[in-house]
Amino acid sequence: MTQLRSGPPLLTASDYRHNAAHLVEPDVWDFIEGGAEDERTLAANERAFDRVRLRPRVLAGVSDADTGVSLFGTRHATPIGIAPTAYHRLIDPEGEVATARGASAAGALFVVAMFASRTIEDIAAAVPQPQGLWLQVYWLQRRDVMRSLVRRAERAGYGAVMLTVDVPRMGRRWRDMRNGFTIGGDVAAVNIDPAVMAAAHVRDEGESAIARHTADTFDPTLTWADLAWLRAQTGLPLVLKGILTAEDAALAADHGADAIVVSNHGGRQLDGAVATLDALTEVTDAVGDRMPVLFDGGVRRGTDALAALALGARMVLTGRPPLWGLAAGGADGVAGVLRAATGELAHAMVLAGRPTLAALDRSAVRLSSLTGADA
Ligand SMILES: Cc1cc2nc3c(=O)[nH]c(=O)nc-3n(C[C@H](O)[C@H](O)[C@H](O)COP(=O)(O)O)c2cc1C
Ligand SMILES: CCCCCCC(=O)C(=O)O
């Protein structure tokens, strides 16, 4: 729990959010909070959890819950990890180094973004177990830049590489466009050749500089066949983030992905895309035992995590809440927000009569409510 110098303790993700809102520059807050276009998918992600009802079992003799989970040979104390989010130094001077310390203190996976504002090596040096870090990458036109990042992550001891596949171009984010959002000050994507990054720092009225940057540097011609190239660059497990359909989940398995993340990028890409919770069961059904399925989008409470885990996710990731924690209290705030959610999950598992994550299956949730409007 994060105790501020004054004011009540922060107990929930929502407490952290309200606290952080006053501490972050307005244009950065819009960048964090915002989604694509009318933000319908952003809203749908959270709303989907309101339709879940849990099915507790009683007299199960459960006095405590074990939230531990293993993935790619690494044990994590919690199945609630940190999704990749760019530029943490917009929020805290220590940036991703503080986030990594917080994640490590909470025993959580931290997926470091390609557009991190601290080096891959500094982030690894901040934690006792760098295999609890993964590196996220986008597919750039400059494959040499991708190759060098992946190799650096491997040398620094990272546990996996995550390729984000839902950004052939950036979603239109009205908030960022109205703000002329630009990465400013001394914040930069320090792991990438500055020549590749120049456009992200040029402000233009009515434009998002990061959208312009992605249009200039990402490779939208990517197809499933290209994955073999990335596979060949590293011995690390390869995770694909941004899958929403059974068809693509099956293709990911066919093309040798080691895991996938059901994600709509936190509602920041295709507005109107399906809420991730509503996509989860079609994906887990399609994948079966072929590889682990992870999940992100709208997870704000331990019971949200419980629902996604019960519907087949091996792990859930959260994007915005750790940023709220970082703003509210640096590394302690990141650890605080993760511990809060993990504590809620453990509490709910006891009350639901499920002592381990393995004991969580579809019988723990009422599936019928997932298809009703507001059942
Ligand atoms: C401020 C911000 C920056 C993000 N940056 C990245 C990124 O660099 N790479 C990526 O794959 N996803 C990025 N995402 C998407 C997250 O990884 C994740 O999919 C999303 O935040 C999950 O939804 P949630 O915020 O509701 O938990 C970003 C999201 C936010 C809010
Ligand atoms: C020029 C940097 C692009 C950062 C992309 C971050 C991201 O994925 C997001 O959703 O925002």
Side-chain angles (χ1 to χ4, degrees):
M1 178 199 315
T2 300
Q3 178 66 65
L4 302 174
R5 261 183 233 117
S6 63
L10 304 180
L11 300 179
T12 65
S14 170
D15 290 348
Y16 281 90
R17 179 171 184 270
H18 287 300
N19 191 271
H22 307 290
L23 298 169
V24 176
E25 292 295 322
D27 63 332
V28 173
W29 187 247
D30 274 341
F31 170 61
I32 295 171
E33 290 295 281
E37 303 191 10
D38 295 327
E39 302 186 343
R40 290 172 303 157
T41 295
L42 172 64
N45 277 352
E46 285 194 27
R47 250 200 339 258
F49 287 103
D50 292 339
R51 304 202 310 268
V52 174
R53 291 293 175 264
L54 303 177
R55 299 183 66 252
R57 298 298 307 275
V58 298
L59 298 180
V62 178
S63 57
D64 211 352
D66 177 4
T67 58
V69 60
S70 292
L71 202 51
F72 305 139
T74 299
R75 185 87 182 152
H76 303 274
T78 172
I80 304 173
I82 302 183
T85 52
Y87 295 114
H88 291 195
R89 288 193 66 246
L90 289 170
I91 301 165
D92 178 276
E94 278 200 300
E96 288 80 0
V97 162
T99 311
R101 283 202 198 102
S104 171
L109 169 71
F110 171 29
V111 186
V112 175
M114 177 183 227
F115 295 101
S117 49
R118 296 295 304 267
T119 66
I120 287 170
E121 294 78 10
D122 283 351
I123 299 166
V127 297
Q129 288 195 314
Q131 67 271 26
L133 303 168
W134 296 0
L135 177 71
Q136 174 266 333
V137 293
Y138 286 110
W139 203 288
L140 301 180
Q141 293 163 30
R142 288 268 309 269
R143 290 192 185 190
D144 60 314
V145 174
M146 293 174 67
R147 175 169 44 222
S148 135
L149 287 177
V150 165
R151 300 234 166 118
R152 280 171 58 193
E154 197 163 350
R155 274 197 301 275
Y158 283 50
V161 169
M162 177 182 281
L163 174 69
T164 301
V165 293
D166 56 10
V167 188
R169 60 167 70 166
M170 187 160 280
R172 286 188 296 183
R173 304 169 186 173
W174 303 143
R175 298 198 210 198
D176 291 348
M177 291 168 74
R178 290 190 179 109
N179 292 335
F181 183 66
T182 309
I183 304 300
D186 64 349
V187 178
V190 294
N191 293 296
I192 303 179
D193 181 345
V196 176
M197 292 309 304
H201 299 277
V202 180
R203 192 171 197 288
D204 219 336
E205 210 55 43
E207 259 206 277
S208 155
I210 60 169
R212 182 156 23 86
H213 170 266
T214 57
D216 290 349
T217 60
F218 287 22
D219 183 355
T221 67
L222 185 68
T223 70
W224 290 101
D226 293 306
L227 293 182
W229 176 84
L230 183 56
R231 257 259 85 103
Q233 306 309 313
T234 176
L236 292 175
L238 181 60
V239 181
L240 300 189
K241 170 175 180 278
I243 303 291
L244 288 172
T245 61
E247 299 92 301
D248 283 344
L251 281 165
D254 293 346
H255 287 82
D258 294 296
I260 53 174
V261 188
V262 172
S263 173
N264 55 32
H265 215 102
R268 294 161 78 82
Q269 284 301 108
L270 176 61
D271 194 31
V274 61
T276 43
L277 193 72
D278 292 334
L280 181 56
T281 46
E282 84 168 62
V283 169
T284 52
D285 283 347
V287 165
D289 292 333
R290 295 176 80 186
M291 63 185 166
V293 173
L294 284 69
F295 173 92
D296 79 19
V299 174
R300 302 291 178 260
R301 315 169 183 84
T303 45
D304 299 342
L306 187 150
L309 294 163
L311 293 176
R314 176 77 67 86
M315 233 191 210
V316 302
L317 303 178
T318 101
R320 294 174 180 89
L323 300 179
W324 304 333
L326 186 65
D332 287 347
V334 172
V337 82
L338 291 168
R339 285 186 180 130
T342 304
E344 291 165 2
L345 170 63
H347 180 71
M349 287 167 70
V350 171
L351 291 181
R354 270 83 170 187
T356 60
L357 300 182
L360 278 176
D361 59 18
R362 287 188 188 179
S363 71
V365 297
R366 217 180 81 195
L367 276 171
S368 58
S369 62
L370 294 178
T371 50
D374 280 310

